[in-house]
Amino acid sequence: MVTTLTPLEAELLELAGSVPDPELPVLTLRELGVVRAVHVRGTETVEVELTPTYTGCPAVEAMSLDIERVLREHGVREVTVRRVLAPAWSTDDITDEGRRKLREFGIAPPRVRTASGPVGVELGPTRTRAARPEDEPVPVRCPHCGSAETELLSRFSSTACKALRRCLACREPFDHFKEL
């Protein structure tokens, strides 16, 4: 079902989506793909639908407060931010602009998934290589030099949604935004 936005809802969706992510301020919530919808309810009330990157995401409260602040500064009297868990957020929801910004910030963006549906858990090799058999996963490229020769140092980095990797070519460590 396609929902048509009113001009006011489109404007408020753009405003809510312009809020920087509290954990990755280089991205907006729109680029991260977590602001799902804005609904105008009456003359002074707005409801924003927000889908967390995962159910235990500690940044959801900060995101909600920042969205409320931005919309109130725009003249909306009553703002409700509602967490929406279905459909679940996935790294496929990150925009191309968001992926570009992650790379420029020194974080390897999540790889684009070719299959739909649930994401399988893989506990395979910790190194990725440019020349690989077709059955191996797409390599994680270094955001600094572009090499596909990287290794996993830790499955978790500064946040649960990132892994810590190192480039075998330039030897620089970097975060990799894990695929979900």
Side-chain angles (χ1 to χ4, degrees):
M1 179 174 117
V2 175
T3 304
T4 303
L5 296 176
T6 67
L8 178 58
E9 286 172 329
E11 179 183 355
L12 296 176
L13 181 61
E14 187 66 30
L15 280 169
S18 72
V19 170
D21 178 74
E23 292 180 335
L24 291 166
V26 67
L27 293 182
T28 65
L29 299 183
R30 180 190 60 77
E31 292 161 343
L32 187 57
V34 296
V35 175
R36 299 296 182 153
V38 169
H39 306 285
V40 174
R41 309 278 189 218
T43 57
E44 299 180 341
T45 303
V46 170
E47 179 183 273
V48 179
E49 294 180 5
L50 179 70
T51 300
T53 55
Y54 64 100
T55 55
C57 178
V60 170
E61 192 62 36
M63 289 179 197
S64 298
L65 291 172
D66 289 346
I67 290 170
E68 289 175 18
R69 178 187 46 77
V70 165
L71 294 183
R72 284 195 179 111
E73 288 172 356
H74 192 69
V76 178
R77 226 178 240 195
E78 186 67 35
V79 179
T80 302
V81 178
R82 187 170 60 92
R83 293 180 196 180
V84 177
L85 302 179
W89 179 88
S90 104
T91 50
D92 295 342
D93 295 327
I94 299 175
T95 66
D96 290 341
E97 177 72 2
R99 291 170 187 278
R100 182 191 64 74
K101 286 182 174 181
L102 283 171
R103 196 174 301 106
E104 287 177 359
F105 193 64
I107 297 173
R111 295 167 286 195
V112 176
R113 297 185 315 132
T114 55
S116 62
V119 177
V121 175
E122 297 177 15
L123 300 175
T126 59
R127 291 189 175 196
T128 61
R129 303 204 180 280
R132 64 187 183 356
E134 288 305 310
D135 59 337
E136 286 186 29
V138 174
V140 176
R141 293 198 170 273
C142 173
H144 305 294
C145 72
S147 172
E149 302 279 335
T150 65
E151 67 180 342
L152 179 69
L153 297 178
S154 175
R155 295 198 188 282
F156 298 97
S157 184
S158 58
T159 61
C161 57
K162 293 184 289 193
L164 182 61
R165 300 190 72 92
R166 176 176 44 219
C167 179
L168 299 173
C170 71
R171 306 301 297 168
E172 287 294 321
F174 62 92
D175 280 336
H176 167 229
F177 203 112
K178 298 184 283 190
E179 297 78 24
L180 293 175

